[in-house]
Amino acid sequence: MASSHSSSPVPRAGRDRIFLKERDPSPPRCRSVRSLPDVCPKEPTGGGRGLCEGPSVVAEHDRWTVYSSKVNLPAALNDPRLAKRESDFFTKTWGLDFAETEVMPSFYLPNITREHFGPYLQEMAQRERIHERCKTICPNKDDVDAVSSVTTNHDKSRAELEQVPKIFMKPEFALEDPATFNTVLPWSHFNSAGGKSSRDVASSKLLQEKLSHYLDVVEVSIARQISLRSEAFFHAMSSQHELQDRLQNTQQAVAVLRGRTANIDRVMCEGPLRALRTALTRNNCVKLHNKLKLMAAVHQTQPTVQLLLSTSEFVGALELISTTKEVLQQELQGIHSFRHLGSQLCELEKLIDKMMVEDFSMYARSDLSRSLKDEPQVLEKERLESLVFGLLRQRKLDFLDIYSDEMIMAAKAIVTQCVAESVLHIEEIDTEVVTKLADQMRVMTFPQWFELLKNVFESFLLFLQRIKATLNVIKNVVLEVLASNQRNRLLEEASSGASCQEASHSQSLLQGEAELAYLTHEGLFISDALNEAQQQQQQQQQAGVQDQSSVVGSRTQQSRTEAGGSDSAFGTTETSVSREQSFMYVPAFIMTLNIDRSAENMMPTDLELNRVMNNIQELLHSASDISHDRCVKVLTARAKDGSLERLSSAEFVCLSQAVEGFVRDTEELCGRRSVSLRGALQSQANRFVHRFHEERKTKLSLLLDNERWKQAEVPTEFQDLVNSIADGRISLPERKIPGPEERRPTEFLLVNGQKYAVVGTVLLLIRIFLEYCQCVNDIPSIATDMLTRLSDLLKHFNSRSCQLVLGAGALQVVGLKTITTKNLALASRCLQLVVHYIPIIRAHFETKLQPKQFSVLRHFDHITKDYNDHIAEISAKLVAIMDSLFEKVLSKYEVKAPMPSACFRNVCKQMSKMHEAIYELLPEEQTQMLFLRINASFKMHLKRQLARLGVVNDGGPQHGLVVVDVAFYTENVQALKSLERLDLNMAEIWEQKR
């Protein structure tokens, strides 16, 4: 058979990566010699299906391995397509459970794909092309000889195989098929007449020889293929023999080694190991004895705890319980006789927790309900510190809530007690009839109630001082626990540093002891031995750390004692005493055990302790808020019927000062700015301001409704009031006792050297807004509200005076016959006086306001604008009066003799009356400006009348008559007082007629 190297040089890849040989498109007789397949082809020769389409081991080498051969070699050669009987072979040898399974790919090997070889193929592609080109140009001689030899053998075997008919190569070949049988044995060559002739015998011999030749050809081809692969089979057999020899040598060496080891164990190890085993047995007996002593000590825990509880030593009892629980969990775990002791200790610990909570509640109740005077601030300080330490140890961090509840009840009792004591000294109040506290407080007069309020304030200040002292004691205990936690951390760091230095030395000792324990104890593992050795090392280190902690504790205690802090020093002493008392009842050998001291871990963490510190501060703030809330109750109970709104300014100022003083004292004491009492006072102040404002607004309205708008005399007290304002005192002066020589009222009010003719209402208005300023001086908190109300009052005066004067409302209200020019001028001057004082009031309120409240000052700007507009409207009204007069008189003017004309005489007469009415009321500058506007109106009407009459500046008779009248008008106007230098400029009336 041909070798696998006899295939064509350039194979092509078919499906499933099987390399198929190229077909030659030329006819069969012209094709090159083809290599024979490794097994029998389906078609021996010729067209149709070529030999390459048959199964070939060589062509399918990527799928066939030595593991594919599951039966004997002849069966594999005779049937290369693997019949189904291989399962029968394996199940017969290895049982029915045997089955062929697919080997799972390794998880440690990556999945290699064609992309991984991409860079290599790209790099080698150029070299491959060069190599192929070189092979084509100059092929190797040996390769050419080998190829020619293989090709010759291949062609020879191919020619021999082609002699075999194709029918024997077909897969469906079967002799039982009549057609196949007749084809193989052609009976037509034999004589069918019966008998055997010499021709038939010759034909049968010839057919037999022909078939034998076919068989020989096939066997030779098979033998040739076997000879090509014989080397691999012989190599496998030789490898098996060599492996058996090596295994036999190894078995002999192991047997010799075991014999020598047994001799060494018998001669050198048995005696020494027996001595070591005896020593370890003795150590176990000592441990057992210690366990029994420990059990005896633990058995006495409950009687000792009962003894401690009888003397209220809660901390010592808790320490003893904690230590016993740790011993049970670490040293006596699994002891059957103590199986219920752990649960009993837990229940006992819960009972102690409940007892401590009840004891703390009783302490808080007795401390807060005792008398506030002539008693120490802190009651039973040692008891309180012991309780707080025990509660902290048990992580009962909500004990401050109990104190808060008792604090609320005590605050209510303080108010009740103060009211009861005050009522006892008031005979007018019958407690059997008036039973409620609020009704009793409303029945009191203001001085009596004010005295009660001051007593409540004083009591709550003492109450807060006592709470602060108690909370300071609790805070000192918490600080001591924090300091203890920090010391423990320092000791742990020191011990960890020492253990790191001895780590290398102890590691070798541990390893040696572990190996010894493994050799002497059956069933003891090296890890257990390591743990035991490590525990012994930790016991030694624990002894050193305890010595170091005692030194650190003594130094800390000495430094705190030298510092002289009574609270903190006592806290340290109490802590150490409590721990000594707790450890005193524990046997000494228990303390030497290597157990985890979770008693220290039972203490809260630094974060929890800091939270407790914050809760203590919040509790002090809460006490301040509760005190303020109870005071608010007293305030609102009195104000329910509106009695606080009816207080005088002085009384309300006293109330405000008392409240502000109490609030200030509580803020200094507690460090908390409470807003409830200030808010209640502000609410009452708003009501007071509202009533204050309504009374004065009503009073101003009544004054305006009765005002006849005539000039009033100015009493001396109002002049003194104005003078004090000019001196910078924005407040009501004290009432002076009238002397024997009283000054008479003046006609005008002098303000900074200027005369103001005023009405009586304006004088009272000045006093009213000074009352507003005085109220702001006494109660600064109501400055914003008072400013709003004062601006409303000023607006009301402006609008109401405008309605009465400009709107002529005074005709119906007070029965005036008409609104004269004198009334208008007097109203204008009064408004000017108010405008003069608005900036002074604004500056005063600005000093009482916060910078963020300055926006409310814009009300004064709006008021000033409204007043100036009103003044301008009054001036316009005076000009309008004369304007209507000029229009009426000049409409009848005629240019004719006699001169001056009656019309001009009438105009000059009215001008004189106007001047006489306003001269003494308005200042000179305003009078001149007013008459300039009146003169402009006169010129306008005269110019219009002359244009209507057709009089022009032509020097004619009419022009002369008009000049005489104009000269008469100018002379009369300039003859008026303060109008001598007034430039009337009458030449503008002359214009040429167009």
Side-chain angles (χ1 to χ4, degrees):
M1 297 177 67
S3 174
S4 61
H5 297 285
S6 61
S7 60
S8 62
V10 185
R12 61 181 180 88
R15 289 184 299 177
D16 300 332
R17 300 185 58 85
I18 299 175
F19 290 93
L20 304 178
K21 300 176 183 179
E22 293 290 339
R23 290 189 177 183
D24 194 351
S26 60
R29 61 180 179 272
C30 300
R31 288 184 296 177
S32 60
V33 178
R34 293 177 297 175
S35 61
L36 292 176
D38 295 328
V39 294
C40 295
K42 296 181 180 181
E43 297 291 337
T45 56
R49 299 174 61 185
L51 295 174
C52 58
E53 296 180 358
S56 174
V57 175
V58 178
E60 298 177 357
H61 65 277
D62 56 338
R63 292 191 301 177
W64 188 92
T65 61
V66 294
Y67 300 103
S68 300
S69 178
K70 298 183 176 59
V71 292
N72 54 359
L73 182 61
L77 294 176
N78 290 334
D79 192 358
R81 288 181 295 277
L82 296 179
K84 295 182 180 180
R85 62 176 178 273
E86 70 273 10
S87 59
D88 299 337
F89 173 80
F90 286 109
T91 54
K92 178 178 67 177
T93 305
W94 292 322
L96 297 175
D97 295 335
F98 179 84
E100 182 181 0
T101 58
E102 183 180 0
V103 179
M104 293 294 294
S106 175
F107 295 102
Y108 301 99
L109 298 178
N111 186 16
I112 303 300
T113 60
R114 186 176 182 83
E115 286 73 11
H116 291 83
F117 299 97
Y120 174 77
L121 293 177
Q122 293 178 0
E123 182 180 356
M124 301 302 295
Q126 183 66 25
R127 298 181 182 180
E128 184 181 3
R129 286 194 295 270
I130 296 174
H131 176 69
E132 293 295 336
R133 188 166 57 252
C134 292
K135 285 174 60 178
T136 305
I137 295 174
C138 51
N140 192 359
K141 181 179 180 181
D142 296 336
D143 294 341
V144 171
D145 295 339
V147 169
S148 61
S149 176
V150 171
T151 304
T152 304
N153 294 330
H154 176 71
D155 293 341
K156 183 178 180 181
S157 61
R158 181 184 180 87
E160 292 176 353
L161 286 175
E162 286 180 353
Q163 297 176 4
V164 181
K166 292 181 181 180
I167 191 172
F168 295 104
M169 305 299 179
K170 291 182 178 180
E172 62 273 12
F173 177 79
L175 285 176
E176 60 270 16
D177 185 12
T180 304
F181 187 80
N182 292 328
T183 305
V184 173
L185 299 174
W187 297 104
S188 58
H189 295 178
F190 298 96
N191 188 8
S192 58
K196 296 182 179 179
S197 62
S198 58
R199 183 180 179 183
D200 294 336
V201 173
S203 297
S204 61
K205 288 181 178 180
L206 181 62
L207 179 60
Q208 183 178 0
E209 290 177 0
K210 186 177 182 180
L211 294 176
S212 298
H213 175 68
Y214 292 159
L215 179 60
D216 293 339
V217 169
V218 173
E219 288 180 351
V220 168
S221 297
I222 293 174
R224 184 180 295 110
Q225 292 295 333
I226 293 175
S227 66
L228 292 176
R229 292 167 175 78
S230 61
E231 183 178 358
F233 293 113
F234 288 116
H235 177 71
M237 294 299 296
S238 62
S239 298
Q240 291 292 329
H241 292 301
E242 183 179 0
L243 181 60
Q244 290 179 0
D245 294 340
R246 290 183 181 181
L247 287 175
Q248 187 175 4
N249 294 334
T250 303
Q251 183 180 3
Q252 294 175 357
V254 170
V256 172
L257 179 61
R258 286 182 176 179
R260 292 179 180 179
T261 304
N263 294 331
I264 292 173
D265 180 64
R266 184 178 62 257
V267 175
M268 302 180 62
C269 296
E270 286 184 359
L273 287 179
R274 187 181 301 109
L276 293 175
R277 188 177 295 111
T278 304
L280 290 178
T281 303
R282 182 181 179 279
N283 291 336
N284 290 336
C285 293
V286 172
K287 291 181 180 180
L288 178 60
H289 181 255
N290 292 333
K291 289 284 185 181
L292 294 175
K293 290 197 297 182
L294 184 61
M295 292 173 62
V298 170
H299 186 67
Q300 298 297 322
T301 298
Q302 286 182 322
T304 308
V305 170
Q306 296 294 337
L307 179 62
L308 291 173
L309 292 180
S310 63
T311 58
S312 298
E313 291 293 338
F314 299 111
V315 178
L318 290 172
E319 289 286 347
L320 182 56
I321 291 174
S322 177
T323 305
T324 305
K325 289 170 64 176
E326 291 164 3
V327 171
L328 288 175
Q329 292 177 359
Q330 300 181 20
E331 298 295 330
L332 301 179
Q333 188 176 9
I335 303 300
H336 186 72
S337 59
F338 289 152
R339 65 187 184 279
H340 300 304
L341 183 59
S343 60
Q344 293 173 0
L345 292 177
C346 291
E347 293 297 329
L348 191 58
E349 189 174 10
K350 293 179 182 179
L351 177 62
I352 295 175
D353 293 345
K354 187 176 181 181
M355 292 174 64
M356 285 194 300
V357 172
E358 292 179 354
D359 200 1
F360 183 80
S361 179
M362 292 175 60
Y363 173 84
R365 189 179 303 110
S366 60
D367 179 48
L368 295 174
S369 61
R370 59 195 175 95
S371 176
L372 296 172
K373 300 178 181 178
D374 302 330
E375 289 193 11
Q377 289 186 341
V378 180
L379 179 65
E380 298 180 5
K381 184 177 180 181
E382 295 81 1
R383 178 188 175 194
L384 175 61
E385 290 177 336
S386 178
L387 284 172
V388 172
F389 183 81
L391 291 170
L392 289 177
R393 187 193 176 283
Q394 294 302 107
R395 294 179 178 267
K396 299 294 182 181
L397 305 182
D398 56 347
F399 65 94
L400 293 177
D401 297 338
I402 300 174
Y403 196 84
S404 177
D405 296 338
E406 296 296 335
M407 188 171 59
I408 295 173
M409 300 299 296
K412 294 180 181 179
I414 287 175
V415 176
T416 304
Q417 184 179 359
C418 291
V419 174
E421 291 177 356
S422 299
V423 170
L424 289 176
H425 299 87
I426 302 175
E427 298 178 355
E428 292 82 2
I429 300 177
D430 188 359
T431 56
E432 295 181 356
V433 178
V434 184
T435 56
K436 295 183 179 180
L437 297 180
D439 297 337
Q440 293 174 1
M441 284 188 284
R442 283 192 288 271
V443 172
M444 298 178 184
T445 62
F446 178 76
Q448 295 171 345
W449 177 82
F450 188 65
E451 188 67 24
L452 167 65
L453 184 63
K454 290 193 291 184
N455 292 335
V456 171
F457 287 164
E458 183 180 358
S459 299
F460 273 117
L461 283 175
L462 295 174
F463 178 69
L464 292 176
Q465 291 174 0
R466 175 173 295 175
I467 291 175
K468 185 175 182 180
T470 303
L471 293 179
N472 283 336
V473 174
I474 299 175
K475 184 186 295 184
N476 290 333
V477 175
V478 177
L479 290 175
E480 178 60 30
V481 175
L482 274 172
S484 177
N485 289 347
Q486 293 176 359
R487 289 196 301 271
N488 292 334
R489 281 198 299 271
L490 292 175
L491 292 176
E492 289 177 1
E493 293 176 358
S495 64
S496 63
S499 62
C500 291
Q501 294 177 358
E502 300 176 359
S504 59
H505 177 67
S506 61
Q507 185 66 27
S508 60
L509 295 178
L510 292 176
Q511 187 67 26
E513 294 181 4
E515 293 176 357
L516 178 61
Y518 177 73
L519 293 174
T520 56
H521 279 68
E522 296 179 358
L524 184 63
F525 294 97
I526 294 180
S527 60
D528 298 334
L530 282 172
N531 291 334
E532 291 183 0
Q534 188 175 4
Q535 288 177 2
Q536 295 177 2
Q537 292 287 337
Q538 289 178 355
Q539 288 176 6
Q540 299 174 0
Q541 295 175 4
Q542 186 71 20
V545 171
Q546 288 179 358
D547 296 338
Q548 187 176 2
S549 64
S550 61
V551 173
V552 174
S554 62
R555 291 178 180 176
T556 306
Q557 177 66 26
Q558 182 180 1
S559 62
R560 289 184 177 271
T561 305
E562 293 175 356
S566 60
D567 293 339
S568 61
F570 178 80
T572 305
T573 305
E574 179 65 24
T575 303
S576 60
V577 168
S578 63
R579 293 186 181 181
E580 289 174 1
Q581 290 176 351
S582 63
F583 295 150
M584 179 178 64
Y585 298 99
V586 183
F589 73 92
I590 293 182
M591 303 307 300
T592 62
L593 295 175
N594 182 27
I595 58 176
D596 183 13
R597 292 296 300 158
S598 62
E600 298 295 335
N601 297 333
M602 284 294 293
M603 282 298 177
T605 62
D606 290 352
L607 179 61
E608 293 173 338
L609 291 175
N610 289 328
R611 191 179 297 117
V612 173
M613 293 288 291
N614 295 333
N615 293 338
I616 292 173
Q617 189 63 33
E618 288 296 330
L619 186 59
L620 185 60
H621 295 168
S622 177
S624 176
D625 293 340
I626 291 170
S627 302
H628 282 235
D629 292 341
R630 303 318 300 178
C631 294
V632 169
K633 294 286 185 181
V634 176
L635 198 64
T636 54
R638 175 70 180 182
K640 189 174 183 180
D641 59 350
S643 58
L644 295 182
E645 301 175 15
R646 296 189 293 271
L647 296 178
S648 63
S649 299
E651 292 175 340
F652 196 85
V653 168
C654 293
L655 174 62
S656 177
Q657 291 175 351
V659 172
E660 287 292 335
F662 174 70
V663 172
R664 191 165 49 252
D665 293 339
T666 55
E667 288 178 357
E668 293 177 359
L669 185 63
C670 303
R672 173 64 172 264
R673 181 179 177 84
S674 299
V675 297
S676 59
L677 187 55
R678 274 200 176 100
L681 180 63
Q682 184 66 36
S683 177
Q684 295 301 323
N686 292 337
R687 296 179 183 177
F688 170 77
V689 168
H690 179 72
R691 183 193 60 80
F692 180 89
H693 174 67
E694 290 299 326
E695 288 180 355
R696 280 147 185 80
K697 186 175 181 180
T698 304
K699 181 179 180 180
L700 181 62
S701 298
L702 293 175
L703 291 173
L704 287 173
D705 290 342
N706 294 318
E707 182 61 58
R708 301 189 67 84
W709 298 100
K710 292 182 179 181
Q711 185 177 358
E713 294 182 345
V714 180
T716 56
E717 59 175 336
F718 286 99
Q719 185 62 53
D720 294 338
L721 190 64
V722 170
N723 294 336
S724 67
I725 296 175
D727 294 338
R729 296 190 298 272
I730 313 298
S731 61
L732 290 174
E734 297 180 358
R735 291 184 177 273
K736 297 181 179 180
I737 301 174
E741 296 181 359
E742 294 185 0
R743 291 179 296 170
R744 293 183 177 180
T746 58
E747 186 177 0
F748 295 96
L749 183 67
L750 293 178
V751 180
N752 294 335
Q754 291 189 13
K755 293 182 178 180
Y756 283 88
V758 294
V759 296
T761 303
V762 173
L763 294 176
L764 294 175
L765 178 62
I766 294 175
R767 184 176 181 85
I768 288 173
F769 68 67
L770 283 179
E771 290 177 354
Y772 278 81
C773 294
Q774 181 66 41
C775 192
V776 170
N777 291 337
D778 297 334
I779 314 174
S781 61
I782 63 174
T784 305
D785 198 10
M786 194 63 77
L787 186 149
T788 306
R789 303 304 173 92
L790 179 57
S791 62
D792 179 65
L793 185 73
L794 294 175
K795 290 179 182 179
H796 176 70
F797 174 78
N798 183 38
S799 62
R800 187 59 180 162
S801 60
C802 181
Q803 293 173 1
L804 293 173
V805 180
L806 281 178
L811 300 180
Q812 291 81 17
V813 175
V814 296
L816 295 180
K817 294 181 180 180
T818 182
I819 303 298
T820 63
T821 55
K822 191 171 185 177
N823 298 137
L824 293 172
L826 188 59
S828 176
R829 197 58 177 161
C830 292
L831 294 174
Q832 293 174 21
L833 179 61
V834 177
V835 170
H836 171 77
Y837 282 111
I838 287 178
I840 300 174
I841 300 171
R842 176 194 176 106
H844 177 73
F845 273 91
E846 188 173 358
T847 60
K848 306 299 179 182
L849 295 174
Q850 299 293 331
K852 61 183 180 180
Q853 298 174 335
F854 285 170
S855 60
V856 298
L857 295 174
R858 67 180 184 275
H859 293 297
F860 290 113
D861 299 333
H862 300 328
I863 293 171
T864 303
K865 181 179 180 302
D866 293 341
Y867 271 73
N868 289 329
D869 292 343
H870 190 184
I871 295 170
E873 289 178 3
I874 292 176
S875 299
K877 182 66 175 177
L878 292 173
V879 175
I881 292 173
M882 297 303 297
D883 185 77
S884 62
L885 176 65
F886 293 153
E887 183 179 4
K888 180 179 179 182
V889 173
L890 291 177
S891 62
K892 301 178 181 180
Y893 174 63
E894 296 179 358
V895 184
K896 61 181 180 179
M899 291 297 163
S901 63
C903 179
F904 270 75
R905 290 176 183 275
N906 190 11
V907 168
C908 292
K909 181 180 178 181
Q910 296 298 328
M911 293 281 282
S912 299
K913 288 183 179 181
M914 169 69 74
H915 182 269
E916 182 181 359
I918 67 174
Y919 170 71
E920 294 182 351
L921 301 179
L922 299 177
E924 183 176 350
E925 296 79 6
Q926 293 185 21
T927 303
Q928 290 179 359
M929 293 300 298
L930 182 62
F931 272 88
L932 281 176
R933 294 175 62 186
I934 292 174
N935 181 65
S937 176
F938 173 76
K939 289 191 294 184
M940 180 188 67
H941 288 286
L942 179 59
K943 181 180 178 180
R944 188 179 301 166
Q945 183 64 22
L946 291 177
R948 189 183 303 114
L949 296 175
V951 179
V952 296
N953 187 11
D954 56 357
Q958 288 186 338
H959 175 261
L961 294 176
V962 172
V963 170
V964 173
D965 284 339
V966 170
F968 174 75
Y969 168 79
T970 304
E971 181 182 356
N972 278 273
V973 172
Q974 291 182 348
L976 299 176
K977 193 173 181 179
S978 73
L979 300 180
E980 299 88 356
R981 295 184 300 276
L982 191 65
D983 185 12
L984 300 179
N985 193 13
M986 299 299 292
E988 295 180 358
I989 63 174
W990 300 107
E991 290 184 1
Q992 295 296 332
K993 184 177 180 181
R994 297 179 182 178

